[in-house]
Amino acid sequence: MEQLSAGKKLDQAFEKLGKEKSISFELDLDVDAETLKQLDAESEPEPGDELPDEAAELMSGAKISVTVESKKPIDESEEKDFVGMAMKLSSPDGDLVEYRVVGDHTYIRSDVEALGKAMDTPMPPADELPPEAGGLKKVLEGEWVRFNTKEMEKIGEEMGQEPGSEPAPEPSLDAKTQKKLLDALREVIAREVDFKTAGGEDGTEHITATAPFRTLITELIGEIRPLTADLPPGMVLPSDEDLKDAPDTKVTADFTLRNGELTEVYVDLAKLAESAKVRKLGLVLKMSAGTKPTAPAGATELNLDEIMGGFAGVMMQDAEFGESGLPEEGL
């Protein structure tokens, strides 16, 4: 009776989320930089490919925040119904990357210096770019820039297709296939997942869902495999053979409900690391009512000429640096 009750409450909480027209969520890793370095070392990376300290610090403290807004309830929305979206990658030291899609335009700003340092790929100073790269200079300076979303999508399609060929249809799932996938997911969860529930204060309730990882993922892929023909082109599902080496340890997800609404999910991944040295490794997802994405003031307009000119300038500088750094006998 407890399993049915907890599972039903969780199902109803997800249905409530789907009825919203806007939703915000925040995703981050519950892990420290030392653990990430340990996991990287145990994977035996090639010399020079080790995870940099700066990247480990960034990953351990980074958070991803996303907001979507639609004219219809989320679970009824198609791509054309979404009227706004915002995404932000932040660290304890500040925002690293942020973009918003509002109306016909996409807005972007980033801390290029911090990102380059974390990824060990420093970018050239803004004053070293050619004059025609005015918009990209604003990018390097961390200011807002914008471009017409549809025009950039069209340019990307034209650059990626063969001359004379017809544009490929965008990969998508129709409503019927989406329902089949959801039904398959629910069937596997009902069969393989153990639920427990515990009450809390102020209308808060915790529901834990536990299942062996390899069994759960194998069963889920098995349910989806008959739908392969309905999936977008190029989507390849792993075989049972591919999944046989996945750990079959039990993974637990803790769902927090407040007055019946889902507010947080915590997935404990420590056992999947299969390392006695990993004590804490989790994935945290927090949900809240969506806030309307707005267009930032003062954004600089980007155009294709500026983008191509800026990239060409960077490439030329890289080529000159590479040539100047060659030893005499290599010339």
Side-chain angles (χ1 to χ4, degrees):
M1 181 63 69
E2 181 183 39
Q3 173 145 332
L4 177 61
S5 175
K8 183 63 175 177
K9 289 178 181 178
L10 194 56
D11 203 30
Q12 290 176 342
F14 277 108
E15 288 178 356
K16 282 186 177 181
L17 280 179
K19 299 303 179 185
E20 298 289 340
K21 291 185 178 180
S22 64
I23 185 173
S24 296
F25 59 88
E26 180 182 273
L27 182 68
D28 70 291
L29 281 174
D30 183 21
V31 65
D32 55 41
E34 184 179 349
T35 297
L36 291 175
K37 292 285 291 183
Q38 176 64 36
L39 289 171
D40 180 63
E42 292 180 359
S43 69
E44 299 181 351
E46 293 293 328
D49 291 337
E50 298 88 353
L51 182 67
D53 293 343
E54 293 85 357
E57 290 289 345
L58 173 62
M59 293 171 63
S60 65
K63 294 182 179 180
I64 299 175
S65 305
V66 178
T67 294
V68 292
E69 180 187 16
S70 175
K71 295 181 291 186
K72 297 181 179 179
I74 299 296
D75 62 0
E76 299 175 11
S77 298
E78 299 178 2
E79 185 176 357
K80 60 182 177 63
D81 299 315
F82 290 99
V83 293
M85 180 178 179
M87 188 282 289
K88 180 169 64 177
L89 173 64
S90 58
S91 74
D93 297 327
D95 298 338
L96 297 173
V97 179
E98 182 174 4
Y99 83 87
R100 304 176 192 176
V101 180
V102 182
D104 295 331
H105 286 82
T106 296
Y107 301 80
I108 300 177
R109 70 171 175 178
S110 62
D111 187 337
V112 176
E113 183 178 353
L115 286 172
K117 183 178 179 181
M119 295 184 291
D120 198 25
T121 54
M123 294 294 289
D127 57 9
E128 292 185 8
L129 289 179
E132 61 269 21
L136 286 180
K137 286 186 178 182
K138 297 293 184 181
V139 173
L140 294 180
E141 293 168 352
E143 298 188 24
W144 281 106
V145 296
R146 74 173 194 170
F147 56 83
N148 185 286
T149 307
K150 290 184 178 180
E151 288 183 4
M152 291 302 293
E153 289 176 350
K154 182 179 179 180
I155 291 171
E157 291 173 358
E158 291 175 349
M159 293 178 65
Q161 70 184 60
E162 295 293 331
S165 64
E166 292 294 327
E170 293 186 7
S172 62
L173 291 175
D174 57 45
K176 185 176 180 180
T177 302
Q178 291 181 42
K179 186 177 185 305
K180 288 181 181 179
L181 289 174
L182 184 59
D183 289 343
L185 175 61
R186 287 176 171 170
E187 184 175 338
V188 172
I189 288 176
R191 187 170 64 240
E192 302 295 342
V193 178
D194 293 325
F195 291 102
K196 290 184 179 180
T197 182
E201 299 179 354
D202 302 324
T204 299
E205 186 172 16
H206 290 276
I207 296 176
T208 58
T210 304
F213 178 74
R214 187 200 314 142
T215 301
L216 182 63
I217 194 68
T218 300
E219 289 291 323
L220 179 58
I221 294 298
E223 290 288 342
I224 296 176
R225 192 166 286 117
L227 306 176
T228 302
D230 299 321
L231 298 179
M235 182 176 289
V236 180
L237 298 177
S239 65
D240 290 344
E241 183 70 17
D242 295 330
L243 299 171
K244 72 175 184 177
D245 293 329
D248 208 29
T249 53
K250 289 187 176 181
V251 176
T252 298
D254 186 309
F255 299 85
T256 300
L257 276 61
R258 184 167 285 110
N259 297 322
E261 295 185 356
L262 184 61
T263 59
E264 182 174 327
V265 183
Y266 184 95
V267 184
D268 188 350
L269 302 172
K271 292 183 179 178
L272 288 182
E274 297 185 312
S275 172
K277 296 181 179 180
V278 176
R279 301 291 181 89
K280 184 174 70 172
L281 176 59
L283 186 66
V284 187
L285 179 66
K286 297 180 180 179
M287 271 78 68
S288 63
T291 55
K292 183 181 179 66
T294 58
T300 299
E301 187 81 22
L302 284 181
N303 59 51
L304 181 59
D305 291 336
E306 287 182 345
I307 294 174
M308 298 304 292
F311 280 128
V314 172
M315 292 175 66
M316 289 178 64
Q317 290 172 3
D318 288 344
E320 291 172 0
F321 175 80
E323 292 175 3
S324 63
L326 287 174
E328 291 293 330
E329 59 269 22
L331 297 177

